[in-house]
Amino acid sequence: MSTATLDMPTKPKPRTDPTLAGRAAPAERVALDRLVFTGFMGSGKTSVGSIIADRLGWRFLDLDHEIELRHNRTVPQIFAESGEAHFRHLESATLASLLGQRHVVLALGGGAPEELGNRLLLEQTPHTAVVYLSAPFATLLDRCNEQAIDPAATARPNLADLTAAERRFHLRRTHYERIAAHTIDTSSLSLEETADAVLELLRAVDQ
Ligand code: S3P
């Protein structure tokens, strides 16, 4: 990997933590088939989504990771070799196919809700709750930069130009809020605390 790639803010790999499995609440406690996490880069969609999936005993799916598996190229490779528009096309097709599954927790990429078709699909998929993990831009950037020192993480092409990234952040917030049934302000929460807040919310909705 080149130095330039190592210096670029990155994202965590999807993880499964077997130690959390024992604390799983039965999946049938949640009157939903799918839980979808949205939010900007660095909001914790992948990490929190993995924790929640472990606790519910559901399958965790990371949209970026699924695109990479299906097309045998990393997200940065797709951006560099085929452009963002092509990535968005693959992203929409992959999202549509993943939403057919039940008992899944799905972490979207930060840009997926920019596409109208993706927003409509999420809104129209039954028994599906979207949770928006929010935080200020500076906090998100700090988190992305912290992840950047993890060589196992994947680089984020849309953080290469920070002015453009901040513009996207402001544009996307409305989309995140509109598609989400619940918003959690993660600014002062750890990943575990965020996961606790999500489960609390689901339990409250369930009652
Ligand atoms: C992107 C976010 C990334 C990934 C791609 C583009 C974006 O996902 O889909 O690099 O435009 O915000 P994460 O939000 O999981 O980092």
Side-chain angles (χ1 to χ4, degrees), residues 18-37:
T19 60
L20 293 171
R23 291 162 35 196
E28 56 272 21
R29 284 281 309 278
V30 180
L32 282 173
D33 282 337
R34 289 159 222 91
L35 192 57
V36 178
F37 284 95

Side-chain angles (χ1 to χ4, degrees), residues 1 5 7 20-21 25 48 54 66 73 81 88 93 103-104 109 118-119 126 139 142 144 153 172 191 199 205:
M1 193 182 286
T5 311
D7 286 340
L20 293 171
V48 173
D54 281 336
E66 293 299 317
R73 287 193 290 171
E81 295 165 6
R88 296 297 166 201
H103 295 164
V104 288
N118 294 343
R119 299 200 298 275
T139 306
D142 282 349
C144 288
R172 287 176 184 174
L191 295 171
L199 286 173
V205 170

